[in-house]
């Protein structure tokens, strides 16, 4: 399986299992299945509210002798209500307890957005904290002290623009190891991928299949159908592969990590097999033509009237 090298030389398995929107009662089996077919990278987050079940799957696989802990790469994420420096380590400890693990391989700041302590999802604008009042550099200072504790071996960010990454790197004197962002052919973000590479930061693609399983309330009107794209289907047919495999192979081919979510046993195996699919230069060129900077996860939910956040500033 392809790996990507971090600055300290540690290798991140490029293809991982995503668990956003994986139902708690399905994700334990999904994780076991993934490990059985060869995945060695599991991505989760406190806010997905299934860390206990993800951890149960990991621990069952370890107990069954399918894998050793040190062979696995486990990522989880700091939620927005724990950006205060003194809240960072307790939040990680809470995730570790749920996961039933002694450490994670990677801990990410989930969003460049802060909520008041204990506010999981703000119901009113005053439940946010502005970045002026709680700068990302303060959170990042607390994050970079975690590897020394052994509780998280690496630290990084998610949904951060290059300018936000530069600002926290300059302020703290240490860059993230990883930035996890939405990437797929409709939102290729080639400039961000290149910028992260220059900075020695691994890029991980979330929603690589278009997250078609999002509930209707989270979908945008007239949303593009990534798995149904004609161009992707044509390439898939030529390789006797599925559209999902083409999307995953594309992400791997461009040197990013990628975390397709599935709780279906066959699709978990099918997605893992995409590592073997070799796309041609023509395939890559025809996929490049699909880019239109279209995000499925626009971030507008952080920006209701009166919020200290705007969509432009979020991605700027
Ligand atoms: P399921 O869990 O039932 O397999 P993303 O990774 O972009 O968030 O997309 C996840 C969505 O894509 C889920 O709804 C998932 O459903 C579906 N999915 C995952 N793998 C495949 C596949 N190989 N073919 C079609 N749909 C897939």
């Amino acid at each position: 399986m392809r790996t990507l090298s971090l600055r300290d030389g540690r290798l991140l398995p490029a293809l991982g299992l995503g668990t956003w929107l994986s139902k708690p009662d399905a994700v334990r089996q999904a994780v076991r299945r993934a490990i059985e077919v060869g995945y060695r990278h599991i991505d989760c987050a406190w806010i997905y509210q299934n860390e206990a079940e993800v951890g149960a799957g990991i621990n069952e696989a370890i107990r069954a002798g399918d894998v050793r802990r040190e062979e696995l790469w486990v990522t989880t994420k700091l939620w927005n209500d724990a950006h205060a420096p003194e809240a960072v380590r307790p939040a990680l400890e809470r995730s570790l307890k749920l996961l039933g693990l002694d450490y994670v391989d990677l801990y990410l700041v989930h969003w460049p957005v802060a909520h008041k302590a204990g506010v999981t999802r703000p119901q009113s604008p005053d439940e946010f904290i502005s970045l002026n009042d709680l700068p990302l550099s303060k959170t990042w200072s607390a994050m970079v002290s975690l590897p020394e504790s052994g509780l998280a071996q690496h630290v990084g960010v998610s949904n951060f623009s290059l300018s936000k990454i530069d600002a926290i790197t300059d302020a703290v004197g240490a860059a993230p190891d990883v930035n996890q962002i939405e990437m797929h052919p409709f939102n290729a973000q080639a400039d961000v991928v290149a910028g992260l590479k220059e900075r020695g930061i691994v890029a991980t693609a979330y929603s690589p299949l278009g997250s078609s399983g999002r509930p209707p309330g989270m979908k945008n009107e007239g949303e593009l159908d990534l798995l149904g794209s004609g161009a992707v289907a044509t390439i898939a047919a030529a390789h006797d592969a599925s559209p999902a495999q083409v999307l995953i192979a594309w992400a791997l081919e461009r040197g990013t990590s990628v975390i397709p979510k599935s709780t279906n046993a066959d699709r978990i195996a099918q997605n893992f097999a995409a590592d073997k699919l070799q796309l041609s230069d023509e395939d890559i060129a025809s996929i490049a033509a699909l880019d239109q900077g279209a995000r499925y996860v626009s971030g507008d939910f952080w920006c209701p009237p009166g919020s200290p956040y705007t969509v432009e500033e979020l991605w700027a």
Side-chain angles (χ1 to χ4, degrees):
M1 191 213 301
R2 270 175 267 206
T3 55
L4 297 164
S5 187
L6 301 182
R7 269 189 305 273
D8 66 357
R10 177 89 193 274
L11 298 178
L12 165 76
L15 176 52
L17 179 74
T19 63
W20 180 40
L21 299 174
S22 293
K23 299 235 163 33
D25 58 358
V27 78
R28 185 180 58 79
Q29 275 307 330
V31 168
R32 286 237 35 201
R33 169 70 175 161
I35 292 171
E36 181 185 282
V37 301
Y39 288 75
R40 293 295 176 264
H41 171 176
I42 312 290
D43 181 87
C44 48
W46 181 79
I47 193 62
Y48 303 163
Q49 301 189 345
N50 55 13
E51 278 178 313
E53 293 78 8
V54 169
I58 291 172
N59 281 304
E60 274 178 29
I62 293 172
R63 275 198 301 277
D66 293 350
V67 73
R68 286 180 289 123
R69 172 66 187 93
E70 55 275 23
E71 293 170 327
L72 276 182
W73 182 283
V74 180
T75 299
T76 195
K77 310 185 191 88
L78 176 78
W79 190 234
N80 303 351
D81 66 342
H83 275 211
E86 65 280 8
V88 168
R89 182 171 165 154
L92 172 57
E93 287 169 342
R94 177 175 61 175
S95 282
L96 288 172
K97 199 161 175 218
L98 286 165
L99 286 162
L101 297 176
D102 298 332
Y103 69 93
V104 287
D105 299 84
L106 180 63
Y107 197 46
L108 303 177
V109 179
H110 204 146
W111 281 93
V113 170
H115 306 167
K116 288 191 172 157
V119 174
T120 303
R121 291 190 181 78
Q123 304 298 317
S124 64
D126 64 320
E127 292 187 322
F128 287 97
I129 308 177
S130 76
L131 296 183
N132 284 334
D133 291 337
L134 179 43
L136 295 169
S137 57
K138 291 250 159 67
T139 310
W140 186 239
S141 302
M143 290 289 289
V144 299
S145 72
L146 294 174
E148 210 174 82
S149 71
L151 299 178
Q153 295 198 334
H154 300 88
V155 287
V157 295
S158 180
N159 295 300
F160 272 49
S161 62
L162 292 174
S163 68
K164 286 193 174 73
I165 286 178
D166 288 342
I168 59 168
T169 304
D170 291 348
V172 176
D177 284 313
V178 169
N179 186 24
Q180 184 179 125
I181 52 178
E182 180 183 333
M183 288 187 287
H184 43 71
F186 289 149
N187 187 40
Q189 304 214 57
D191 49 342
V192 180
V193 172
L196 292 172
K197 199 169 176 196
E198 266 169 37
R199 290 160 176 78
I201 299 169
V202 167
T204 297
Y206 76 68
S207 298
L209 311 179
S211 276
S212 52
R214 278 167 299 134
M218 291 183 75
K219 293 196 173 175
N220 315 310
E221 224 173 84
E223 196 170 276
L224 298 163
D225 179 6
L226 185 57
L227 281 168
S229 148
V232 174
T234 304
I235 297 168
H239 290 278
D240 199 16
S242 72
Q245 288 178 315
V246 170
L247 297 169
I248 296 164
W250 171 82
L252 294 171
E253 184 62 37
R254 68 204 295 254
T256 65
S257 174
V258 58
I259 47 168
K261 172 266 173 183
S262 182
T263 47
N264 173 281
D266 291 341
R267 290 192 284 274
I268 288 169
Q270 181 200 116
N271 294 347
F272 190 70
D275 187 40
K276 300 262 179 302
L277 173 58
Q278 283 291 324
L279 299 177
S280 67
D281 291 346
E282 293 78 50
D283 297 335
I284 300 286
S286 96
I287 292 172
L290 297 176
D291 191 17
Q292 45 192 291
R295 293 179 198 276
Y296 291 104
V297 181
S298 71
D300 58 358
F301 38 83
W302 304 132
C303 313
S307 159
Y309 296 89
T310 63
V311 171
E312 292 78 50
E313 192 280 333
L314 186 65
W315 304 117

